[in-house]
Amino acid sequence: MNAEQLKALQAPIKAKYQENPAAAVITLRAQGRIGEGIACRVDTGRALVEAGLHPATGGSGMQACSGDMLLEALVACAGVTLRAVATAIGVNLKDGKVFAEGDLDFRGTLGVAKDAPVGFRDIRLRFELDTDASEEQTKKLLELTERYCVVLQTIRRAPPVVASLA
């Protein structure tokens, strides 16, 4: 897909959302089913993923760790966003890799230390790009990727989340 094809694809969608802002608000959903042992099966729409405890909390390592899944979602979203932005602004990407890593202090989630946070303490997102774009173009590419990556922005601006029992 080139920039013109992308713009042609998105133009009627953008026009619709400008005319009717409410049409742009979509609710995404994820669903899981509590499994045997300490596990939860998540239907990703493409495959079934079974999440379990990380080995640092007693897991076997045979199931996906939800922390890994969060980083994988960040990598996926950032990669798709980067590719779309590159296409839109005419930056030729010959190849590219996206890496995410985060630091967790498992004392928090295990209740070992009240001062240890539950969740990621730090997350780092890094891109390795093979492109002939100028430094200015690649800086703009990174800036726009950060701006439009849904998962990155959600992590940075943590929206209110309400947990409830049905």
Side-chain angles (χ1 to χ4, degrees):
M1 181 176 291
N2 63 34
E4 295 309 312
Q5 292 169 321
L6 180 62
K7 288 175 184 173
L9 176 70
Q10 292 181 338
I13 298 168
K14 289 180 177 183
K16 175 183 174 183
Y17 295 163
Q18 285 175 339
E19 184 179 312
N20 181 6
V25 179
I26 307 293
T27 301
L28 303 179
R29 291 178 173 82
Q31 181 175 312
R33 174 170 236 144
I34 304 302
E36 291 185 33
I38 302 177
C40 180
R41 302 183 92 184
V42 179
D43 184 355
T44 66
R46 300 279 181 223
L48 191 65
V49 176
E50 187 169 76
L53 292 173
H54 187 278
T57 63
S60 67
M62 299 300 293
Q63 296 160 318
C65 164
S66 53
D68 290 330
M69 293 169 70
L70 176 70
L71 295 178
E72 290 162 358
L74 176 58
V75 164
C77 188
V80 169
T81 304
L82 178 94
R83 174 55 86 182
V85 168
T87 300
I89 66 174
V91 170
N92 179 35
L93 288 179
K94 299 172 194 168
D95 194 16
K97 294 180 182 175
V98 185
F99 304 90
E101 60 184 19
D103 303 320
L104 283 164
D105 182 341
F106 283 102
R107 294 175 308 152
T109 195
L110 289 174
V112 172
K114 291 189 186 295
D115 63 331
V118 176
F120 284 99
R121 186 171 46 193
D122 295 294
I123 296 176
R124 293 168 297 284
L125 180 63
R126 181 173 52 90
F127 300 90
E128 288 182 4
L129 305 178
D130 182 3
T131 181
D132 52 9
S134 69
E135 184 177 336
E136 183 179 311
Q137 289 173 307
T138 56
K139 282 183 180 179
K140 187 67 171 176
L141 179 59
L142 177 61
E143 174 189 317
L144 293 173
T145 297
E146 287 183 271
R147 179 177 176 185
Y148 295 116
C149 178
V150 171
V151 175
L152 176 62
Q153 288 301 322
T154 301
I155 291 169
R156 282 187 174 162
R157 296 183 320 195
V161 178
V162 177
S164 63
L165 294 172

